[in-house]
Amino acid sequence: VCETVACSEEKIWKSGDSVYVLPCNSHEFNELNGILRIVKAGTQVFNVRGKDHIPSHELALSALLRDDAYPVTDVNIETALASMKRDSLALSLAGRGWNLLSYRNIPTGFVNNLGTRLNNYFPVDWRIRMSLPGRKDFNIIRWDGEEE
C-alpha cells in the first residue's frame, strides 16, 4: 500500500475486501469507532480480488496518491468525457496493467490495459448519462492560457 500512497503502515486499515488509508492510526480509529458512528473511514485504496489489487476511484482522486505509483496518460477532453460516460476507449497507453487517465493533469480514473482492450474502472454510479454537446458548446471552464 505504501508504494501507492503517501502513508505510514499504522494508518492502513482493512475491512472485508477493501483496504483504506485512515487520517489517524488504526489504534485511534478503533477507539473512535467504539464511541462514534463512523460513516466514512479514510480513503479507499483498493479492493482485493483473489491475488489482484483493484485500485479504487477514491485513490485516483486522492491527494495521497503518489505521482510514480501508476503510469499517467493525459487525454483530451473528448476522451476524458468518454471515459466518464464509460464508453469504450481506444487509446495507446504506455504499458499493460493499471493506468491513470488525466485531463490537464487532473486525474479522471483508472483503466486496465489488457493489451487487446481497455477495461474502464470509472464507477458505474458516477457515469455521465446525458448526451454531450459538440466540442465548441461545452467549454464551461476557461483554463489558464486558453483562448476564447
Side-chain angles (χ1 to χ4, degrees):
V1 175
C2 291
E3 306 88 47
T4 306
V5 204
C7 73
S8 57
E9 290 289 330
E10 63 266 2
K11 291 188 174 191
I12 298 169
W13 180 63
K14 189 169 192 264
S15 174
D17 291 339
S18 298
V19 176
Y20 295 86
V21 172
L22 301 172
C24 58
N25 67 44
S26 55
H27 175 71
E28 293 169 333
F29 174 76
N30 288 330
E31 282 186 35
L32 289 172
N33 197 24
I35 300 167
L36 303 171
R37 179 178 164 262
I38 297 188
V39 178
K40 175 77 173 100
T43 302
Q44 184 182 18
V45 180
F46 54 79
N47 287 315
V48 178
R49 288 195 194 144
K51 294 181 181 179
D52 295 331
H53 294 80
I54 312 234
S56 154
H57 189 68
E58 289 180 36
L59 176 63
L61 303 179
S62 174
L64 296 172
L65 179 64
R66 291 173 46 133
D67 293 337
D68 59 348
Y70 296 97
V72 178
T73 302
D74 203 41
V75 296
N76 60 27
I77 187 74
E78 288 87 1
T79 305
L81 290 171
S83 73
M84 290 187 271
K85 284 185 70 128
R86 290 187 53 99
D87 289 345
S88 59
L89 302 173
L91 293 173
S92 57
L93 299 176
R96 291 179 63 124
W98 293 103
N99 286 264
L100 181 64
L101 296 184
S102 68
Y103 172 69
R104 296 195 177 196
N105 296 322
I106 300 170
T108 59
F110 285 105
V111 293
N112 191 5
N113 182 5
L114 302 176
T116 57
R117 71 172 199 271
L118 292 176
N119 287 346
N120 186 350
Y121 281 80
F122 193 81
V124 174
D125 294 339
W126 292 15
R127 75 184 182 279
I128 299 172
R129 292 187 179 110
M130 62 186 257
S131 61
L132 297 171
R135 173 134 169 74
K136 294 188 313 185
D137 301 332
F138 66 74
N139 194 10
I140 301 167
I141 301 170
R142 192 168 85 200
W143 300 87
D144 290 341
E146 186 176 59
E147 297 178 19
E148 284 190 39

